[in-house]
Amino acid sequence: MKRVAVLLLALEVNLAHAEAGRLSVPNNATWKQECGSCHIPYPPQLLSAENWQRLMGSLDRHFGVNATLDAGDNRKILNFLEHNAGSGARYSADSLRISDTPWFKHEHHVISDKEWINPEVRSRSNCSACHGKVILGD
Ligand code: HEC
Ligand code: HEC
């Protein structure tokens, strides 16, 4: 909570809106290792099963990088993601980005365009710039 408050102050977001809770993120060792090396392991419940299927089926073209896994690990991780996925349109985006889902836009409506491009944040995908472990768990 402290880290969120400090950065939000810098970003001039109304602190009255910063009372974020903590997500309970399920764990899986293979997922955490393989999907947490370039960015935080994005919580599975924030994207639909259909989106995870498409994402895991196109890891060779993963947002401009090649993140291909061997077939066994891919299947294990996809099972874990599907099992814990969010359901419905709220957690879906054609871009396969959590940061483009209706859920994300709703939760983050207090943040202005200027704040998103603050050099300390740079990208909506950079969750830990604002949340750290406070909200996203360990
Ligand atoms: C080789 C590095 C690398 C690996 C490994 C990797 N990713 Fe990514 N991922 C990226 C990059 C780069 C982006 C785009 C980040 C940006 O736009 O700021 C990204 C973006 C994402 C996004 C969209 C984030 C958003 O909401 O904007 C999701 C979801 C995602 N990755 C899931 C995964 C999963 C699941 C795995 C494991 C199977 C994985 N990634 C492994 C590099 C990687
Ligand atoms: C620029 C800072 C910033 C970035 C980057 C950011 N968030 Fe947030 N997030 C916030 C703020 C501010 C709120 C609103 C808190 C409120 O209204 O209670 C929020 C709300 C949330 C909530 C809802 C909290 C609750 O009470 O349930 C979750 C979950 C969340 N963000 C996850 C993410 C994820 C995942 C990412 C990356 C894909 C991300 N955030 C990127 C600042 C940010």
Side-chain angles (χ1 to χ4, degrees), residues 55-128:
L55 187 142
M56 293 303 291
S58 58
L59 284 179
D60 56 327
R61 291 163 280 121
H62 181 75
F63 304 97
V65 302
N66 185 340
T68 308
L69 294 167
D70 70 55
D73 282 347
N74 190 307
R75 198 175 322 110
K76 252 190 255 168
I77 292 172
L78 179 56
N79 280 344
F80 166 75
L81 293 169
E82 284 175 329
H83 183 74
N84 295 288
S87 68
R90 244 167 96 66
Y91 297 106
S92 295
D94 280 343
S95 64
L96 308 181
R97 283 181 180 273
I98 292 166
S99 54
D100 283 336
T101 62
W103 169 85
F104 187 93
K105 289 178 185 163
H106 176 77
E107 290 293 343
H108 295 86
H109 70 276
V110 297
I111 302 175
S112 72
D113 288 348
K114 184 174 113 236
E115 287 153 351
W116 285 122
I117 57 167
N118 178 303
E120 286 197 56
V121 178
R122 299 184 321 274
S123 157
R124 284 172 167 74
S125 318
N126 191 11
C127 321
S128 50

Side-chain angles (χ1 to χ4, degrees), residues 23-29 31 42-50 52-53 76-88 91 98:
L23 276 187
S24 170
V25 183
N27 200 7
N28 173 281
W31 163 73
Y42 294 112
Q45 67 266 48
L46 300 183
L47 217 51
S48 66
E50 188 271 341
W52 285 128
Q53 286 153 9
K76 252 190 255 168
I77 292 172
L78 179 56
N79 280 344
F80 166 75
L81 293 169
E82 284 175 329
H83 183 74
N84 295 288
S87 68
Y91 297 106
I98 292 166

